[in-house]
C-alpha cells in the first residue's frame, strides 16, 4: 500500500499562512506530523504523513524524530506513545476521543476468560482504551483484523469493542468462534440502508466501498469492505468513474488528491466524526508552539506494559 509524504498544497483559502507557520514550528521542534485520513483537509495537507490507524501506529516506530504530533483521536496518540515510550507525543486536541473506545466493560472480558480459559483470545480493535488493550491478547485494526484473528491459535475469540467489525471478521474466518461485544461507532452505525439503496439506484455503475464499522445490513450492499487506506487504494485501482463511499467524509480529501478525475458520492446524511473535526490546524500550531497536549503514560506500569505487548503482537502478526 502506498502512502504519501509531505504535501505541497493546502486545502482551504487562508490556511496557507498558518500552514507555513506549522511547518516552521515543526522544524524548530524536530517534530513529525502524522494525520489520520479523517482529519480536516487543511491538517492532512500540512502533515508529513497521512494514513489509516494501522499505518500511523507502525510508522511512528520507524521514524527518527523524537517528537510526534498526532492529528487524530486519543487512542491513536496513546498507541504511538505505548509503542514509543521515549518519544514525545503531542495531541493537538487532547479531548478528541473515539466514543467506541469506551464501549467494553472489564466484566465482559473476565467472564469470557472464565468460560473458555486458555482456548480464548481477546482481540482488541485499536479504537479502545489503554485498559482494554492491557486486558487483551492482541490488538487489531480494520486493515489487519481478519488476518490476525485467523492466525490466533485459540478457537474462541472475544472481539472488542466493535460488534460490526467483529461480525465482519467472524464471516471471513468461519473456523473461529467469535464472541461479539456490544460496542459500535455511532457515526458509522448511523449510515442508513435506505440512503445507500437510493444511491445505488441512482448510480447503478458505481461500486460501493464501505468501512467495516458499518452495520451488517449496510455492508451487505458493499462491493468492497476495508479500512480507510483500503477504500482509498481500491478507488485508485478501480476503473469506475463514480464510486459510493460509506465512511467519514474526511477521506474525500485524499480520494480527490489521488483520483482527481473520479467522482465520489457520500450518503446525503453527512457521515462526519466530530472528534476528528475538532483537530484543527490552529490547534496543531498551538501544540507545536507550546508543547501542550502531551500524551502522558507511565511506560513501566503493568497496564502500559500489557497494552504495549498487545500492540507489539499486532505488529508481529500483521507483518511489519
Ligand atoms: P481506519 O483504521 O480504517 O483508519 O479507521 C479508524 C477509524 O476510526 C474508523 O472509524
Ligand atoms: Fe471513533 Fe467512529 Fe470517529 Fe472512527 S469515526 S474515530 S470509530 S467515532
Amino acid at each position: 500500500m502506498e502512502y504519501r509524504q509531505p504535501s505541497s498544497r493546502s486545502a482551504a483559502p487562508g490556511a496557507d499562512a498558518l500552514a507555513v507557520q506549522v511547518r516552521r514550528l515543526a522544524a524548530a521542534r524536530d517534530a513529525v506530523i502524522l494525520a489520520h485520513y479523517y482529519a480536516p483537509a487543511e491538517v492532512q495537507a500540512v502533515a508529513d504523513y497521512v494514513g489509516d490507524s494501522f499505518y500511523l501506529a507502525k510508522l511512528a516506530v520507524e521514524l527518527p524524530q523524537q517528537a510526534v504530533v498526532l492529528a487524530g483521536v486519543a487512542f491513536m496518540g496513546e498507541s504511538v506513545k505505548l509503542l514509543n515510550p521515549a518519544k514525545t507525543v503531542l495531541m493537538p486536541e487532547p479531548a478528541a476521543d473515539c466514543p467506541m473506545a469506551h464501549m467494553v466493560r472489564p466484566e465482559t472480558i473476565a467472564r469470557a476468560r472464565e468460560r473458555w480459559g486458555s482456548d480464548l483470545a481477546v482481540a482488541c480493535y485499536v479504537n479502545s482504551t489503554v485498559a482494554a488493550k492491557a486486558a487483551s491478547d492482541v490488538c487489531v485494526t480494520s486493515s489487519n483484523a481478519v488476518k490476525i484473528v485467523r492466525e490466533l491459535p485459540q478457537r474462541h475469540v472475544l472481539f472488542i469493542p466493535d460488534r460490526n467489525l467483529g461480525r465482519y471478521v467472524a464471516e471471513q474466518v468461519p473456523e473461529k468462534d467469535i464472541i461479539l461485544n456490544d460496542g459500535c461507532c455511532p457515526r458509522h452505525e448511523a449510515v442508513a440502508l435506505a440512503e445507500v439503496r437510493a444511491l445505488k439506484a441512482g448510480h447503478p455503475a458505481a461500486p460501493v466501498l464501505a468501512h467495516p464499522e458499518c452495520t451488517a445490513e449496510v455492508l451487505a450492499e458493499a462491493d468492497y469492505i476495508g479500512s480507510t487506506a483500503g477504500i482509498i487504494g481500491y478507488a485508485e485501482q478501480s476503473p469506475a468513474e463514480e464510486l459510493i463511499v460509506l465512511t467519514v467524509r474526511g477521506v474525500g480529501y485524499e480520494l480527490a488528491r489521488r483520483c482527481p478525475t473520479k467522482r465520489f458520492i457520500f450518503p446525503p446524511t453527512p457521515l462526519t466524526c466530530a472528534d476528528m473535526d475538532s483537530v484543527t490546524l490552529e490547534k496543531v500550531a498551538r501544540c507545536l508552539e507550546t508543547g501542550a497536549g502531551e500524551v502522558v503514560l507511565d511506560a513501566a506500569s503493568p497496564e502500559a506494559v500489557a497494552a504495549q505487548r498487545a500492540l507489539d503482537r499486532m505488529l508481529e502478526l500483521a507483518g511489519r
Side-chain angles (χ1 to χ4, degrees), residues 36 38 52-53 75-76 125 127 141-142 188 211 213 227-228:
H36 188 267
Y38 292 164
D52 69 0
S53 43
F75 75 82
M76 297 173 180
Y125 192 22
N127 299 40
T141 74
S142 52
H188 285 82
H211 196 281
E213 289 175 9
S227 73
T228 51

Side-chain angles (χ1 to χ4, degrees), residues 20-33 48 69 288:
V20 170
Q21 189 193 353
V22 164
R23 292 309 325 164
R24 188 175 46 74
L25 290 166
R29 202 177 265 279
D30 188 26
V32 63
I33 303 174
D48 292 296
V69 172
L288 278 165

Side-chain angles (χ1 to χ4, degrees), residues 8-319:
S8 55
R9 66 188 172 95
S10 32
D16 282 12
L18 192 53
V20 170
Q21 189 193 353
V22 164
R23 292 309 325 164
R24 188 175 46 74
L25 290 166
R29 202 177 265 279
D30 188 26
V32 63
I33 303 174
L34 310 185
H36 188 267
Y37 287 129
Y38 292 164
E42 60 273 20
V43 172
Q44 293 189 49
V46 85
D48 292 296
Y49 299 91
V50 184
D52 69 0
S53 43
F54 178 56
Y55 172 72
L56 297 178
K58 72 176 179 167
L59 178 70
V61 182
E62 293 154 16
L63 293 171
Q65 290 89 346
Q66 272 310 297
V68 177
V69 172
L70 198 300
V73 293
F75 75 82
M76 297 173 180
E78 288 164 359
S79 296
V80 171
K81 183 67 181 174
L82 286 165
L83 288 165
N84 305 273
K87 292 192 181 180
T88 301
V89 181
L90 302 176
M91 300 293 294
E93 175 47 84
D97 200 358
C98 171
M100 177 165 61
H102 304 275
M103 293 187 192
V104 60
R105 294 208 301 256
E107 310 87 85
T108 304
I109 302 172
R111 252 187 261 120
R113 290 215 186 273
E114 202 178 316
R115 173 146 185 218
W116 286 288
S118 60
D119 194 23
L120 177 94
V122 181
C124 184
Y125 192 22
V126 283
N127 299 40
S128 51
T129 60
V130 176
K133 289 180 177 72
S136 302
D137 298 289
V138 64
C139 288
V140 300
T141 74
S142 52
S143 65
N144 59 35
V146 169
K147 179 177 195 285
I148 289 177
V149 167
R150 193 173 279 139
E151 285 183 24
L152 293 172
Q154 293 88 348
R155 160 101 193 270
H156 297 91
V157 178
L158 171 65
F159 194 97
I160 59 171
D162 187 10
R163 62 171 179 253
N164 292 318
L165 178 59
R167 191 184 302 106
Y168 171 70
V169 171
E171 282 165 17
Q172 306 304 307
V173 194
E175 67 273 24
K176 297 284 183 190
D177 231 320
I178 310 249
I179 304 115
L180 300 177
N181 169 74
D182 198 16
C184 69
C185 164
R187 284 94 196 219
H188 285 82
E189 181 88 356
V191 176
L193 180 61
E195 288 191 4
V196 175
R197 288 195 170 147
L199 287 179
K200 285 178 76 167
H203 307 270
V208 177
L209 321 183
H211 196 281
E213 289 175 9
C214 295
T215 60
E217 59 180 17
V218 165
L219 292 183
E221 302 289 327
D223 299 290
Y224 173 80
I225 298 169
S227 73
T228 51
I231 287 173
I232 292 163
Y234 184 98
E236 210 173 17
Q237 305 297 320
S238 169
E241 295 294 314
E242 286 193 326
L243 299 99
I244 297 168
V245 179
L246 306 180
T247 193
V248 171
R249 293 184 85 126
V251 298
Y253 175 72
E254 184 67 5
L255 285 168
R257 205 185 70 84
R258 291 217 211 161
C259 317
T261 61
K262 294 183 182 173
R263 178 160 178 244
F264 297 100
I265 302 154
F266 290 85
T269 303
L271 184 45
T272 56
C273 177
D275 289 276
M276 289 285 188
D277 287 347
S278 71
V279 186
T280 62
L281 194 56
E282 287 78 6
K283 291 174 187 172
V284 174
R286 197 176 57 213
C287 84
L288 278 165
E289 198 159 25
T290 64
E294 182 171 352
V295 179
V296 180
L297 286 171
D298 175 5
S301 70
E303 186 172 90
V305 169
Q308 185 185 353
R309 197 179 304 127
L311 282 166
D312 276 336
R313 187 138 188 247
M314 170 180 80
L315 294 180
E316 184 191 315
L317 289 177

